[in-house]
Amino acid sequence: MKQSAVSYRVKDKLIIGYLVRTSMGLGLEVDPRPLMMTTPNDDVAMAIGEALKASEKVIAHPTRDQWKGLFQPFIRAAGVRSFKAFMTDAIRVGIDRYDAQLKLKPHRNLGPKMGFEPIPSDVIVLPAGDLVGAVSEIKALLDGNGR
């Protein structure tokens, strides 16, 4: 089964969340854990491992009136007031684990109206169990110093 997590950098915050599937198959980012870019790699690796494991959940598909506030926990975790403020300098790296691989997927920030788009040419593939190595790569990508 594929497990998926997400990491964001907003200012000096490192935010780890995970993706769950709705009963209709849509992926939603949930349960952000705010850390700092200076958090030790072992602690970040533990947070990522927990997020990946938690991503195996399936939840009820949100009703129409539930959609508006779904990303609000990430905005609060970043310590900003709005989605626009979040997107001002946010950097995103997706994290997928399946089979024996861990894929780190950098994204390009297109602003608050367009969101993020993946950069397939910059994907980094590591062994599935190398979470500490993944944290080093993620921090480099979030610092703008990827491979």
Side-chain angles (χ1 to χ4, degrees):
M1 171 178 258
K2 180 177 169 182
Q3 299 173 324
S4 297
V6 63
S7 60
Y8 288 100
R9 179 180 184 170
V10 178
K11 300 185 187 326
D12 58 348
K13 296 265 176 78
L14 169 61
I15 302 163
I16 305 295
Y18 57 94
L19 278 72
V20 292
R21 294 270 166 236
T22 72
S23 54
M24 294 180 74
L26 183 68
L28 295 177
E29 294 178 4
V30 298
D31 201 18
R33 181 171 175 189
L35 303 168
M36 301 298 288
M37 286 297 290
T38 56
T39 299
N41 287 5
D42 288 344
D43 295 342
V44 177
M46 186 181 309
I48 290 171
E50 291 168 358
L52 288 167
K53 184 69 177 154
S55 74
E56 296 175 353
K57 296 178 189 172
V58 176
I59 64 168
H61 194 78
T63 61
R64 185 181 307 218
D65 60 327
Q66 292 173 318
W67 283 104
K68 186 173 182 178
L70 285 177
F71 200 74
Q72 201 62 37
F74 284 85
I75 293 167
R76 282 193 301 275
V80 296
R81 299 184 128 192
S82 67
F83 183 67
K84 184 176 179 182
F86 182 94
M87 290 298 292
T88 297
D89 62 352
I91 302 170
R92 182 186 194 275
V93 176
I95 307 161
D96 289 334
R97 180 166 62 185
Y98 52 94
D99 297 329
Q101 294 183 332
L102 192 63
K103 288 189 177 182
L104 309 179
K105 303 183 306 184
H107 286 70
R108 183 174 293 110
N109 184 333
L110 301 177
K113 292 190 188 299
M114 300 294 289
F116 292 93
E117 75 174 357
I119 309 171
S121 61
D122 291 354
V123 169
I124 297 170
V125 179
L126 299 170
D130 189 9
L131 292 177
V132 174
V135 172
S136 294
E137 296 284 359
I138 290 167
K139 283 185 173 182
L141 290 166
L142 295 175
D143 271 338
N145 301 318
R147 291 183 182 181

